Amino acid sequence: MVDKIRLEKLQKIKNLGINPYPYSFNIKHYSQDIKDNYESLKGQTSSVAGRIMQLRDFGGLSFFHIQDSKGRIQIMVKKEYASAQALKILNYLDLGDIVGIEGEITKTQKGEISINAKNITILAKALRAIPDKYKGLTDTELRYRKRYLDLIANPSVKNYFIVRQKIIDSIREFLNARGYLEVDTPILQKVYGGAAAKPFTTYHNALDQKLYLRISNELYLKRLIIGGIEKVYEFSKDFRNEDIDSTHNPEFTQVEFYEAYKDYNDYMELTKEMFSKILKDIGLGKKFVYQGKTIDFDDFKKISLYEEIKKKTSIDITEWKDEEQAYKEVCDLGLKPSKKTLGKCIDALMDEYVIKGLTNPTFLVDFPYYVCPLTKQKRDNPKLAERFELIIAGYECANCYSELTDPIEQRNKFLEQARNLKKGDEESNPIDEDFLEAIEYGMPPTAGMGLGIDRISMILTNNISIKEVILFPSLRDQD
């Protein structure tokens, strides 16, 4: 709650004729720049600004540290040097206040680089106390719920988001250099599709129309492939009305990219090249430690999901006749699929018997064709699909297809999904007639891939939850 004493100090500042919330302040240097270039700057007059993080008063001499976007620097206030107004303002300062300082760059007797303050400008009087400097902000949920306090109390957290943006920039540079066109496609869609997920719904009053927040941008990007944009990508916010956990957030970021005349084999090679650039651009070697395990990006694996499950359980997932058989066989192994669907039964087997042991980047191939409604059949085994999931450190980080381009087969797949939706499978999709019309004009052979930015950022910053790399993750309401 707002601090009564701070409110009183606020009024006293106003009584001095000072606006405690001014419009601007001229910054000449940042903290780390002064420290890095002290020898050439010492003795010069500078101006800095930041939040007060420590405050000590020794009578005629006061010290406080301010935190700016590059670090911290000590401010020294001497009665014989500081202006009369600066000394008055000093009496009303608290931890958390944002101030501007003008003064001489110097060192203390103990050798700490400091600013000897001549003038102090109050830039924002804080009415609430910031987290204790010793205890800090350690409650994980509070850190996510009040990210602004997290960034104040734990400034190193900002680096996670710097790395995240570098990853996005690196991918964008990689695709642009190969002639891909970045586009924007609708977030509000009349028909949702492109992923197995339950959508969020909304309503457009002027159109008198029910709309959905997109679960994927896949079908719109494929329309552009059909229209002749042969290399296309989009960084997108997608929305799925699903559970929240360490690797799922209902609002998440991914990049989807598509290229005509390529297949999923081509995209395996492109994936290796892309990650080589990403790791270089964020200053991480191809071999690094994640949560105690070494990940080697010079050692991509390729594993058959179908063969691994059959080898470890004796179950042939391509021979399942229906959901009842699949659910029984999986439950007989002591597993509990989240839903009685073929896809969730495969997920349960995959999580237990395949993904757990995968640390190095792995292309997981050979998914059953019946759970891949947008994918071509595998050339040498029509019961399987030309699809891979990229697994890193046991997490699914990307999904790639040799895209289905046969309009008749695509219609049959959509009809099957619509039947499943009608039977109660909320993660199946309705028929998108406009997309079917588009593909009937002819779609070239195409490879497509979706890469999850949140999970990749989580791994490359050595975190165990995507909430650490999403500035404002979704959380349940507090009681």
Side-chain angles (χ1 to χ4, degrees):
M1 61 187 299
V2 172
D3 187 295
K4 183 180 178 181
I5 295 175
R6 288 173 181 254
L7 280 173
E8 291 172 356
K9 289 182 178 181
L10 174 67
Q11 187 57 52
K12 289 176 180 178
I13 292 171
K14 290 180 177 179
N15 291 343
L16 293 174
I18 296 171
N19 178 3
Y21 304 103
Y23 293 88
S24 64
F25 182 80
N26 181 44
I27 295 174
K28 191 172 182 180
H29 295 108
Y30 288 91
S31 57
Q32 194 58 46
D33 298 334
I34 292 172
K35 293 178 180 180
D36 290 343
N37 301 283
Y38 174 73
E39 290 302 322
S40 62
L41 293 175
K42 63 182 177 181
Q44 294 186 25
T45 298
S46 183
S47 58
V48 296
R51 188 182 297 275
I52 298 175
M53 302 303 292
Q54 286 179 285
L55 186 58
R56 295 168 292 157
D57 184 10
F58 299 103
L61 180 63
S62 296
F63 294 96
F64 55 88
H65 284 82
I66 63 169
Q67 181 171 291
D68 63 17
S69 63
K70 294 189 176 182
R72 292 188 183 189
I73 192 165
Q74 179 170 267
I75 307 302
M76 179 169 55
V77 186
K78 294 181 178 179
K79 281 189 174 180
E80 65 271 20
Y81 182 77
S83 68
Q85 181 152 297
L87 294 174
K88 289 178 182 177
I89 291 173
L90 182 65
N91 293 321
Y92 306 129
L93 295 182
D94 290 296
L95 293 179
D97 290 352
I98 300 173
V99 294
I101 305 296
E102 294 175 272
E104 180 187 353
I105 298 172
T106 186
K107 277 186 179 180
T108 63
Q109 290 182 347
K110 293 184 177 180
E112 182 171 353
I113 296 171
S114 306
I115 303 291
N116 188 7
K118 185 71 173 178
N119 297 308
I120 300 175
T121 303
I122 183 76
L123 300 176
K125 180 64 185 171
L127 302 183
R128 293 174 182 260
I130 61 175
D132 181 270
K133 69 175 181 178
Y134 297 110
K135 295 179 182 178
L137 187 65
T138 57
D139 183 296
T140 301
E141 183 168 326
L142 185 60
R143 288 181 49 240
Y144 300 153
R145 200 174 291 281
K146 300 185 184 295
R147 183 68 81 183
Y148 48 92
L149 288 182
D150 185 29
L151 291 166
I152 291 170
N154 306 305
S156 61
V157 166
K158 183 174 73 171
N159 189 58
Y160 299 156
F161 300 99
I162 293 173
V163 172
R164 177 190 171 101
Q165 190 57 48
K166 286 182 178 178
I167 292 168
I168 293 171
D169 292 344
S170 181
I171 295 170
R172 180 173 276 119
E173 290 169 5
F174 178 88
L175 294 172
N176 286 347
R178 283 157 178 75
Y180 283 73
L181 178 67
E182 183 173 9
V183 298
D184 291 314
T185 63
I187 293 175
L188 292 174
Q189 301 180 347
K190 289 188 288 186
V191 182
Y192 62 92
K198 181 181 178 180
F200 289 94
T201 60
T202 187
Y203 192 82
H204 195 293
N205 292 331
L207 295 177
D208 191 22
Q209 189 174 75
K210 185 178 182 180
L211 294 172
Y212 304 91
L213 294 181
R214 67 181 172 200
I215 58 174
S216 168
N217 48 356
E218 175 169 346
L219 300 185
Y220 280 93
L221 293 176
K222 286 181 177 179
R223 286 171 169 90
L224 298 178
I225 290 283
I226 293 165
I229 302 177
E230 295 179 354
K231 298 179 181 181
V232 65
Y233 75 97
E234 180 178 14
F235 283 95
S236 61
K237 283 287 189 184
D238 293 331
F239 307 85
R240 297 178 185 176
N241 202 343
E242 59 189 12
D243 290 341
I244 299 173
D245 59 30
S246 63
T247 59
H248 294 87
N249 195 64
E251 175 185 354
F252 64 99
T253 304
Q254 66 173 335
V255 57
E256 290 201 30
F257 45 97
Y258 294 79
E259 182 171 349
Y261 311 110
K262 301 294 184 181
D263 64 16
Y264 81 145
N265 293 304
D266 296 310
Y267 264 24
M268 289 184 200
E269 296 307 311
L270 181 139
T271 299
K272 294 176 185 178
E273 294 174 19
M274 176 182 288
F275 272 93
S276 180
K277 173 174 170 54
I278 291 171
L279 294 171
K280 180 181 178 182
D281 288 348
I282 66 173
L284 200 61
K286 286 193 172 182
K287 186 181 290 188
F288 60 91
V289 175
Y290 173 73
Q291 298 297 311
K293 295 181 179 180
T294 298
I295 299 178
D296 187 354
F297 271 82
D298 274 330
D299 187 23
F300 274 79
K301 306 290 187 183
K302 184 178 177 182
I303 292 177
S304 168
L305 172 69
Y306 161 72
E307 291 177 1
E308 283 294 300
I309 290 175
K310 190 172 183 181
K311 179 173 67 177
K312 293 178 179 178
T313 69
S314 299
I315 294 176
D316 186 335
I317 54 178
T318 66
E319 296 301 324
W320 281 341
K321 304 301 181 186
D322 53 34
E323 292 88 349
E324 294 294 335
Q325 178 191 356
Y327 191 75
K328 181 181 184 305
E329 290 188 3
V330 174
C331 287
D332 286 346
L333 294 171
L335 304 179
K336 186 73 173 178
S338 59
K339 293 181 181 177
K340 193 183 288 188
T341 65
L342 293 173
K344 294 303 181 184
C345 288
I346 290 172
D347 286 346
L349 293 174
M350 182 169 70
D351 291 345
E352 180 66 24
Y353 295 105
V354 184
I355 287 183
K356 279 185 177 180
L358 302 180
T359 300
N360 283 346
T362 301
F363 297 118
L364 191 60
V365 299
D366 293 348
F367 286 75
Y369 184 60
Y370 58 71
V371 292
C372 302
L374 296 161
T375 315
K376 287 184 183 290
Q377 292 172 299
K378 192 175 182 184
R379 275 160 268 200
D380 60 359
N381 186 346
K383 292 183 178 180
L384 302 174
E386 292 214 347
R387 167 187 175 185
F388 73 74
E389 286 190 2
L390 175 64
I391 310 298
I392 305 172
Y395 297 106
E396 177 205 339
C397 295
N399 208 354
C400 175
Y401 308 150
S402 293
E403 302 292 342
L404 181 57
T405 57
D406 179 342
I408 296 173
E409 178 66 3
Q410 186 64 83
R411 180 173 289 277
N412 290 334
K413 286 285 192 179
F414 277 3
L415 286 169
E416 181 182 3
Q417 282 220 308
R419 287 192 293 269
N420 292 336
L421 182 62
K422 192 173 183 180
K423 287 192 297 183
D425 181 4
E426 294 180 316
E427 294 187 350
S428 287
N429 301 159
I431 296 173
D432 188 333
E433 286 290 351
D434 183 75
F435 177 72
L436 289 173
E437 178 182 335
I439 200 173
E440 286 167 357
Y441 284 100
M443 177 176 170
T446 300
M449 182 166 166
L451 180 67
I453 298 300
D454 304 326
R455 292 185 189 176
I456 292 297
S457 300
M458 175 189 78
I459 293 168
L460 297 185
T461 57
N462 197 25
N463 279 298
I464 59 172
S465 172
I466 60 171
K467 292 182 176 67
E468 293 288 355
V469 293
I470 298 174
L471 279 167
F472 301 101
S474 299
L475 299 167
R476 298 185 189 280
D477 285 342
Q478 291 176 300
D479 294 335

